[in-house]
Amino acid sequence: MPTWWQKTVTAFPVNAVSVDPLKSDSVDLPNPMMVQCKGNAGAIKFTDAAGNSPLTLTVAAGEVLNVQIARVWATGTTATGLIGFY
């Protein structure tokens, strides 16, 4: 079984954290998490928990990225008020 499988969410999240101060071009989030834009809409550049190449998506306020995110990049992310659930 691939190692990324171990990072998959198997239950509803029980923790919520502000992702804005955790954005980094070199350091992963402390836990893979789903991210919701609770502030201003914009772009989110992220690396998924499977380690694929970074992807940039435009999100609306209130939108949730239904993928396990390992890193939210500081460069290329313009959305604010990001909340991570894990």
Side-chain angles (χ1 to χ4, degrees):
M1 185 172 293
T3 56
W4 63 266
W5 184 260
Q6 298 168 358
K7 298 178 184 178
T8 302
V9 171
T10 57
F12 286 106
V14 295
N15 297 297
V17 297
S18 174
V19 174
D20 289 333
L22 302 175
K23 294 185 291 190
S24 172
D25 293 346
S26 59
V27 178
D28 286 348
L29 298 169
N31 297 292
M33 55 186 73
M34 294 186 310
V35 173
Q36 182 175 21
C37 178
K38 295 294 281 182
N40 295 319
I44 299 179
K45 181 178 179 182
F46 66 92
T47 303
D48 63 25
N52 293 308
S53 296
L55 180 64
T56 302
L57 297 176
T58 301
V59 295
E63 189 171 355
V64 177
L65 294 177
N66 291 319
V67 62
Q68 287 295 294
I69 294 176
R71 178 182 301 170
V72 175
W73 293 69
T75 303
T77 297
T78 59
T80 60
L82 302 177
I83 304 296
F85 302 96
Y86 64 97

